[in-house]
Amino acid sequence: MMYKNLILIFICILFYRNIDGQNFYDVNTINTVKLTFKQSNWDYKLDSLVNDGNENRLLGSATVNGIHYDSVGVRYKGNSSYNASRIKNPLNIKLDYVIDNQEHEGYGTLKLANVYNDPSFVREVLSYEIIGKYMPSSLANYCKVYINDKYIGLYTNVQDVDKSFLKTHFGSSKNAFFKGELARGAAQSSVKIWGYFGEDSSAYSNYYEIESDYGWKELINFLRILNNNPSSVDQVLNVDRHLWMLAFDILTVNLDSPINFAHNYYLYEDDSGRFNPIVWDFNENFGVFSRLLDGAALTTSSMQQLDPFLNSSKSNFPIISKILSDPTIKKKYVAHMKSIMRDYFENGLYKTRAFELQNIIDIEVQNDPNKFYSYTQFKNNITSSISSGGPPGGGNQGIVGISQLMDSRISYLNSVAEFKATPPSVTDISHSAVNGDIDKSLWINVNVQNANIVQLYYRASAKDVFNKIDMLDDGNNNDGSAGDAVYGALLPVTTTEIQYYIYAENNDAASFSPEGAEIEFYTITSTGDLVINEFMASNDDTAADQDGEYDDWIELYNNSENDISLNGYFLSDKTNDLSQWTLPDTVIKAKDYLIIWADDQSSQSGLHANFKLSSSGESIYLSDPDTVIIDEVFFGEQLLNISTGRYPNGTGSFKQMTPSFAKQNNSDITVVEDNESTTIFPEHFTLYQNYPNPFNPETTISLYLPDKSMVTVKIFNSLGQLVTTLVNRQLSKGNFQFNWNAKDVASGIYYYNVSLDGINAGTKKMLILK
């Protein structure tokens, strides 16, 4: 394969999480769901279904934000959050219960939680927002619920972990898929979380509910290796993703989770054969559930000082003990927890965000006729404990204040030896072609101080597993002199894109660059003559085909100076069927574009592929006549009338942009490249994602300065045009927050760029919805 262009891009990519989301889960939107049942005793009917224990549903209709849906299936959900004596019970609403593909904005099942045991009303939504930066997780916001014209109250609205979710985050949905769920009546004293109980699948029925057509064999194989050969667990478990989950749950004292209790999570086996944990149910996070499974209830002080290595030495918790027994993995775990602490807690950003969420729902909480706590308790519970009150059957328990718990907890964790240890310093990442030949290999170099192990992790695309190679400081790896703290490694080039990160450790601590690896990484992009240049998977009125239909489309581009015959080439959205659609005998001219409509209407005249694109995310493959992939893109959820294309045109990495449709991709977008390179700004400078995001009309931009600097913050639109200069002044060391009111600015994608002493320090993307 010929790689004519090499684009060296030092950026951090949050690949899996779509920060823009879709309108239904926009946190600034309070949805309205109205359920109607023919039965006047609908509550009794729903309670009876719970008692039957078979998850049958009551048939009714639903109106979601003014859109009516017939023949939906409804049931109550939850364990402790459900009680027959409560008016406000959690709901599971299946819109496609009878009518296939009946969905609202692409979502077929709505899961609404009743904010049980959370006076603050923010624990669930705040938790999903934070963990969503580090691993695939559901979107969440709020919803008002009416049943038979009676207002029930304000609920949290959490995205279902369904096939659409799996396809968005993993590119597939048909592999082994389980929900971790401790069976009712199971003896808690003998619980072993992620234990191996032999080869008979019936031995696992107390711990897992299968959600896929098959998978017991795969799950048992995973548990066998974890328990009997943990040194090989990375072959069957996405260990990095698991460490992020453990770090978040233990940091935030989320004891109603698999770190303590055998439920509230999912496991999905991706196409590489590794199981991935998926978080679920944060309604009792931040210390609400305060009892260890094998002990008594914890006091506020004992939660503040909860062991960061909780259950790591206990044999009945192989989910933790078999993982953290490895010294290197334990250091990675600490590094991940410290990243979450820096990103959200040491700077107080979590508290700011909690108050912002409360402001969004303030009036609705006041008007909720069935809330479990008073409005005063709602206002106070972010900072202060609630001594009593709560739902019927809830035990009249006190609820610790979120910041009361977390501020002291952060202080405690920073006093723990493993968290005080000095990690390696990773700076000055660079790379270069070997003898100018970028088709074969690249040198990657980095300066690392205070390390005895430095490793390069790399892969070809987001659906692949990261491989690792050692980086050496021996004078023989393009690294200068031996022992000069410059490390080098030779990286093979086999694809059009390389994603990588650096890991370094010493005897006491570890570092990642970028800090959010593996969900954040650096990329090197090289492209061939023929590429997928742009596509649109949610086209409402941007471009129409010859029949006036606004369908999905894919744009190819010829980077070369010669015409290319496409006779026998293939396009596909299926990994296992690269020859899904054969391009006809047509030619794409030099430096020219070709549009293919992905509308599953191949009988229409022109170029119409026999598949459609999913706006919730999937893959596109371009293959030569020998079905060798010459270009591919794996994408997440797409915004309406916003395309995803390469910048620079034909050669760069993919990003969301204003559609160009058979024209050069937006040339002025370079001013808004995400850039978090550690080589050009002070160590530990941090630019945070704005909150709320999306927003209307105000948002807060936050950053941390390690030293006194001249700070400039500018806002740009998606065309790279300056909208406003928000800040341009000298600031001292510390945390800073800047508010931007965009009430007079049109909806769309915008970017904020920060410069320190005239040097570009970083850019983030935000979305205005109006």
Side-chain angles (χ1 to χ4, degrees):
M1 185 184 300
M2 294 295 292
Y3 299 128
K4 298 292 187 182
N5 306 282
L6 178 66
I7 308 299
L8 305 181
I9 305 174
F10 288 91
I11 63 176
C12 294
I13 299 179
L14 276 70
F15 186 86
Y16 294 102
R17 183 74 166 184
N18 176 15
I19 62 172
D20 303 322
Q22 291 195 358
N23 290 340
F24 188 61
Y25 290 104
D26 169 17
V27 77
N28 295 292
T29 298
I30 299 177
N31 299 294
T32 299
V33 171
K34 296 182 177 181
L35 298 173
T36 302
F37 301 107
K38 293 181 179 180
Q39 301 90 340
S40 60
N41 62 341
W42 55 267
D43 181 55
Y44 170 78
K45 292 286 188 181
L46 290 172
D47 288 332
S48 298
L49 291 173
V50 174
N51 291 331
D52 292 343
N54 54 16
E55 296 193 350
N56 284 336
R57 296 172 184 265
L58 184 63
L59 198 65
S61 64
T63 301
V64 183
N65 295 339
I67 301 175
H68 186 76
Y69 300 97
D70 286 321
S71 303
V72 305
V74 181
R75 65 175 177 85
Y76 285 144
K77 72 181 188 73
N79 292 314
S80 57
S81 58
Y82 164 78
N83 191 296
S85 65
R86 296 174 193 154
I87 298 173
K88 185 181 178 183
N89 275 309
L91 296 161
N92 183 312
I93 304 168
K94 193 168 180 60
L95 299 178
D96 55 358
Y97 185 57
V98 174
I99 303 173
D100 289 342
N101 301 316
Q102 180 169 260
E103 299 174 338
H104 183 80
E105 293 188 13
Y107 302 106
T109 300
L110 313 183
K111 293 193 172 180
L112 309 179
N114 61 348
V115 204
Y116 165 83
N117 266 353
D118 180 14
S120 76
F121 265 77
V122 303
R123 281 175 163 84
E124 188 137 46
V125 174
L126 179 63
S127 296
Y128 278 112
E129 284 197 354
I130 295 174
I131 192 59
K133 179 179 178 180
Y134 308 103
M135 63 185 295
S137 69
S138 298
L139 302 169
N141 64 355
Y142 297 93
C143 182
K144 297 163 61 177
V145 174
Y146 296 79
I147 301 181
N148 283 8
D149 296 324
K150 178 182 179 181
Y151 183 43
I152 304 300
L154 184 68
Y155 286 67
T156 53
N157 174 39
V158 181
Q159 181 188 5
D160 187 24
V161 181
D162 58 6
K163 289 185 177 181
S164 176
F165 176 97
L166 297 176
K167 195 167 185 180
T168 295
H169 293 287
F170 302 101
S172 62
S173 62
K174 297 181 179 179
N175 301 332
F177 181 35
F178 291 86
K179 182 179 182 181
E181 190 65 55
L182 189 64
R184 293 180 183 271
Q188 294 186 13
S189 58
S190 61
V191 166
K192 191 172 186 179
I193 304 176
W194 285 17
Y196 172 65
F197 308 116
E199 297 298 306
D200 186 348
S201 62
S202 65
Y204 300 87
S205 60
N206 276 346
Y207 292 89
Y208 307 96
E209 295 177 357
I210 190 165
E211 303 278 333
S212 50
D213 294 334
Y214 71 96
W216 286 112
K217 178 181 177 182
E218 288 75 11
L219 178 68
I220 293 170
N221 178 60
F222 153 58
L223 295 172
R224 183 195 317 109
I225 292 174
L226 170 68
N227 285 269
N228 298 335
N229 187 21
S231 62
S232 299
V233 71
D234 60 342
Q235 298 175 14
V236 290
L237 173 69
N238 188 325
V239 174
D240 183 79
R241 191 158 293 160
H242 183 55
L243 293 181
W244 283 115
M245 182 184 78
L246 295 182
F248 178 76
D249 282 341
I250 294 177
L251 169 64
T252 59
V253 195
N254 184 31
L255 299 180
D256 193 25
S257 76
I259 63 168
N260 178 57
F261 210 95
H263 69 176
N264 286 342
Y265 70 99
Y266 292 86
L267 280 171
Y268 181 69
E269 185 188 36
D270 61 29
D271 287 346
S272 71
R274 298 185 305 169
F275 277 93
N276 294 258
I278 302 169
V279 295
W280 183 251
D281 197 353
F282 288 115
N283 70 308
E284 295 193 276
N285 194 16
F286 295 110
V288 173
F289 190 94
S290 57
R291 183 178 66 85
L292 295 177
L293 187 63
D294 55 357
L298 301 177
T299 65
T300 295
S301 177
S302 57
M303 287 192 294
Q304 291 166 339
Q305 299 185 30
L306 186 71
D307 183 0
F309 308 108
L310 177 72
N311 294 327
S312 60
S313 61
K314 295 182 178 178
S315 60
N316 59 326
F317 287 92
I319 188 173
I320 302 174
S321 60
K322 294 294 184 178
I323 301 295
L324 298 189
S325 60
D326 183 295
T328 291
I329 293 178
K330 186 176 180 179
K331 291 172 192 173
K332 291 180 177 181
Y333 163 78
V334 171
H336 283 347
M337 188 181 289
K338 289 174 68 176
S339 290
I340 303 173
M341 290 163 61
R342 281 191 297 267
D343 288 348
Y344 288 96
F345 293 94
E346 291 176 351
N347 57 14
L349 191 58
Y350 82 99
K351 193 187 309 183
T352 298
R353 185 57 181 148
F355 283 122
E356 289 174 343
L357 291 172
Q358 281 199 335
N359 286 337
I360 293 170
I361 60 175
D362 186 278
I363 294 176
E364 302 304 335
V365 172
Q366 292 185 55
N367 295 333
D368 186 338
N370 298 303
K371 56 181 174 286
F372 301 122
Y373 294 86
S374 71
Y375 176 70
T376 299
Q377 291 172 323
F378 158 74
K379 296 292 288 185
N380 292 342
N381 190 228
I382 290 178
T383 57
S384 305
S385 290
I386 304 304
S387 59
S388 63
N396 202 38
Q397 70 180 82
I399 304 294
V400 66
I402 297 174
S403 65
Q404 178 189 14
L405 171 70
M406 292 308 302
D407 289 351
S408 295
R409 178 144 181 74
I410 297 304
S411 297
Y412 165 72
L413 289 171
N414 280 326
S415 72
V416 175
E418 289 87 346
F419 287 74
K420 292 170 62 177
T422 302
S425 170
V426 181
T427 60
D428 300 327
I429 301 172
S430 63
H431 38 70
S432 58
V434 179
N435 299 322
D437 188 353
I438 64 174
D439 283 0
K440 295 182 179 179
S441 53
L442 293 168
W443 285 113
I444 306 291
N445 295 104
V446 61
N447 186 297
V448 184
Q449 303 287 337
N450 187 30
N452 49 32
I453 294 176
V454 179
Q455 294 173 326
L456 172 68
Y457 283 74
Y458 69 96
R459 67 183 181 187
S461 71
K463 61 183 177 60
D464 296 326
V465 178
F466 279 101
N467 300 298
K468 70 178 178 181
I469 52 177
D470 290 331
M471 302 189 75
L472 301 174
D473 180 17
D474 59 2
N476 298 317
N477 285 274
N478 199 48
D479 60 308
S481 303
D484 63 356
V486 176
Y487 291 76
L490 192 61
L491 180 63
V493 177
T494 58
T495 62
T496 60
E497 181 172 279
I498 299 168
Q499 302 170 354
Y500 75 96
Y501 66 89
I502 308 295
Y503 170 75
E505 71 170 57
N506 54 38
N507 292 334
D508 303 312
S511 293
F512 291 88
S513 184
E515 283 189 3
E518 289 181 345
I519 203 167
E520 294 180 347
F521 45 80
Y522 302 116
T523 65
I524 306 170
T525 301
S526 56
T527 58
D529 291 341
L530 182 64
V531 297
I532 300 168
N533 194 47
E534 189 179 2
F535 65 89
M536 177 175 278
S538 185
N539 176 17
D540 183 57
D541 58 10
T542 300
D545 65 12
Q546 74 288 337
D547 293 330
E549 298 171 342
Y550 292 96
D551 294 321
D552 303 337
W553 50 268
I554 301 167
E555 176 189 275
L556 304 183
Y557 180 69
N558 182 355
N559 275 309
S560 76
E561 303 293 340
N562 302 304
D563 295 352
I564 298 176
S565 171
L566 298 180
N567 187 27
Y569 280 69
F570 303 100
L571 271 174
S572 175
D573 66 346
K574 295 181 178 179
T575 309
N576 59 357
D577 186 11
L578 295 177
S579 60
Q580 185 176 6
W581 184 68
T582 306
L583 275 79
D585 187 4
T586 188
V587 171
I588 181 169
K589 294 185 178 297
K591 303 295 183 182
D592 203 359
Y593 306 85
L594 185 70
I595 299 292
I596 293 98
W597 298 98
D599 56 5
D600 196 16
Q601 297 181 25
S602 53
S603 60
Q604 290 186 348
S605 61
L607 301 177
H608 293 259
N610 60 356
F611 60 87
K612 297 180 179 180
L613 300 181
S614 171
S615 61
S616 62
E618 59 168 327
S619 303
I620 307 173
Y621 303 95
L622 174 63
S623 303
D624 68 16
D626 295 322
T627 63
V628 174
I629 296 175
I630 60 174
D631 200 11
E632 62 184 304
V633 56
F634 181 82
F635 61 92
E637 289 184 82
Q638 300 294 292
L639 292 174
L640 181 66
N641 293 329
I642 297 294
S643 69
T644 297
R646 292 185 180 275
Y647 183 79
N649 186 82
T651 60
S653 58
F654 284 98
K655 61 183 59 184
Q656 292 184 326
M657 58 178 56
T658 301
S660 58
F661 194 77
K663 296 179 181 178
Q664 181 170 309
N665 293 344
N666 302 310
S667 60
D668 293 331
I669 207 165
T670 51
V671 298
V672 294
E673 284 280 8
D674 281 359
N675 190 344
E676 295 188 7
S677 171
T678 56
T679 63
I680 60 173
F681 50 87
E683 184 178 9
H684 302 315
F685 165 79
T686 307
L687 177 61
Y688 300 102
Q689 187 64 55
N690 66 296
Y691 285 107
N693 188 36
F695 65 97
N696 178 18
E698 295 185 49
T699 191
T700 299
I701 296 170
S702 305
L703 57 86
Y704 170 75
L705 290 177
D707 298 298
K708 182 178 180 181
S709 304
M710 180 66 185
V711 177
T712 303
V713 181
K714 295 183 177 182
I715 310 292
F716 296 90
N717 63 20
S718 62
L719 298 178
Q721 299 167 330
L722 179 65
V723 175
T724 186
T725 298
L726 195 62
V727 179
N728 188 29
R729 66 179 187 271
Q730 192 90 11
L731 296 176
S732 58
K733 175 181 177 180
N735 292 294
F736 296 89
Q737 294 183 335
F738 311 105
N739 182 261
W740 182 40
N741 190 318
K743 68 177 182 178
D744 297 324
V745 179
S747 61
I749 295 175
Y750 292 81
Y751 301 80
Y752 52 99
N753 174 265
V754 175
S755 297
L756 305 183
D757 297 325
I759 300 174
N760 179 38
T763 301
K764 296 285 188 182
K765 180 168 65 173
M766 53 186 167
L767 179 69
I768 303 174
L769 290 175
K770 294 186 176 180

